[in-house]
Amino acid sequence: MDLSLDATQLDRYSRHIIMDEVGPEGQKRLLDGRALVLGAGGLGAPVVQYLAAAGVGTLGIVDDDVVERSNLQRQVIHGESDIGEPKVESAARYVDRLNPDIDVETHETRLDETNARELIGEYDVVVDCADNFRTRYVVNDAARIEGVPVAHGAIYKFEGQATTLVPDGPCYRCLFPEPPEPGTVPDCAATGVLGVLPGTVGCIQATEAVKLLLDAGEPLTGRLLFYDAMEMSFETVSYQRNPDCPVCGDDGIETITGIDYAGGCRVDAD
């Protein structure tokens, strides 16, 4: 591995380089790393911020939405002048201003069963900032088949959760075998969300992604972290791999073709 860093990089990443746990070797790993951020909204904004600042060399950003004024209360990489613009383009401009070291690959599309494996397979880590269960199950299943770890996060009003899914650990379906019934979990447009909440959860996801790229520390594998902003409390619940899981179990799937993600995300047994 070429460990050469230029003078600007030595200055920019100096607080990483002096750490024994990172050093120049670790910083070069980050610069060579490829992270796919699914969603450039509330959770995706701090993830993009901190992965770019940390020097993760290639950021793929997936989003098919445009910036709206109501986003600006929490989606901090976008501004008033970006309203009406695709979020991926606004995010790319933000990254370019923050750190010219970073290559941004924009994917102005919705990740689904038709493109998930192709997209995910091009990256070293996925950061799941999706706001719906269908996408979360698609990401889980495709990433498991492609052998790519996922830093997952979700938010609701004043609460958030995070976990990390690695190829040899329990998957999202071990934790949540089936999604809730449609309409039982309203989105933030209906219930609202504390503006700073996704910043906290997104930073946890970004931390997990950096650790995975560095192969350092203990990720949130088999642990679901709950955060309550009103109580300012954190709680961790352990979960295990299910040997009968249709995705990561003993007879796990090898393809996502044929799974009805629109009709409950269930994987039918052979």
Side-chain angles (χ1 to χ4, degrees):
M1 180 185 292
D2 180 9
L3 297 180
S4 60
L5 300 172
D6 63 34
T8 300
Q9 291 172 326
L10 289 170
D11 189 18
R12 178 184 291 276
Y13 308 117
S14 61
R15 300 307 189 272
H16 272 171
I17 292 169
I18 61 175
M19 298 174 68
D20 292 339
E21 296 83 357
V22 183
E25 297 87 355
Q27 188 59 55
K28 189 62 168 59
R29 291 186 69 163
L30 293 178
L31 288 165
D32 290 339
R34 295 176 55 83
L36 183 65
V37 183
L38 303 178
L43 289 172
V47 170
V48 167
Q49 279 185 316
Y50 276 98
L51 293 189
V56 176
T58 301
L59 292 181
I61 305 175
V62 181
D63 202 304
D64 67 344
D65 203 359
V66 298
V67 178
E68 300 177 1
R69 184 168 284 107
S70 61
N71 300 151
L72 305 184
Q73 159 254 21
R74 64 198 177 281
Q75 300 180 19
V76 293
I77 59 176
H78 310 300
E80 189 80 15
S81 62
D82 300 315
I83 292 173
E85 294 294 316
K87 287 184 180 179
V88 292
E89 298 299 333
S90 174
R93 289 194 296 270
Y94 180 92
V95 172
D96 185 62
R97 293 192 299 268
L98 178 65
N99 188 351
D101 277 348
I102 311 304
D103 294 324
V104 179
E105 298 174 348
T106 58
H107 306 281
E108 191 179 351
T109 186
R110 179 175 292 272
L111 186 135
D112 60 25
E113 57 271 31
T114 68
N115 59 16
R117 290 189 62 182
E118 181 180 3
L119 281 171
I120 289 172
E122 295 296 317
Y123 293 87
D124 302 315
V125 63
V126 174
V127 189
D128 177 13
C129 304
D131 61 359
N132 65 89
F133 285 98
R134 175 176 178 171
T135 302
R136 291 167 188 156
Y137 282 94
V138 172
V139 171
N140 174 77
D141 300 354
R144 181 57 54 132
I145 294 172
E146 295 296 325
V148 178
V150 178
H152 163 78
I155 53 174
Y156 177 73
K157 296 180 73 173
F158 297 97
E159 301 172 354
Q161 64 183 38
T163 191
T164 298
L165 314 168
V166 299
D168 60 351
C171 78
Y172 189 74
R173 289 184 185 269
C174 297
L175 183 60
F176 301 113
E178 294 182 359
E181 291 296 323
T184 59
V185 181
D187 60 22
C188 69
T191 64
V193 61
L194 185 67
V196 297
L197 175 68
T200 303
V201 178
C203 283
I204 292 171
Q205 291 178 267
T207 302
E208 290 290 279
V210 168
K211 287 160 54 183
L212 289 167
L213 291 170
L214 290 173
D215 191 21
E218 294 294 330
L220 281 169
T221 304
R223 294 182 291 153
L224 182 64
L225 177 68
F226 289 97
Y227 168 58
D228 186 324
M230 291 296 277
E231 295 184 359
M232 195 49 68
S233 63
F234 291 87
E235 181 181 0
T236 304
V237 176
S238 298
Y239 62 98
Q240 297 180 343
R241 190 171 185 174
N242 177 8
D244 297 322
C245 174
V247 171
C248 73
D250 297 337
D251 297 311
I253 61 173
E254 296 180 357
T255 178
I256 60 174
T257 302
I259 299 177
D260 184 10
Y261 289 100
C265 305
R266 295 178 179 85
V267 179
D268 293 328
D270 294 334

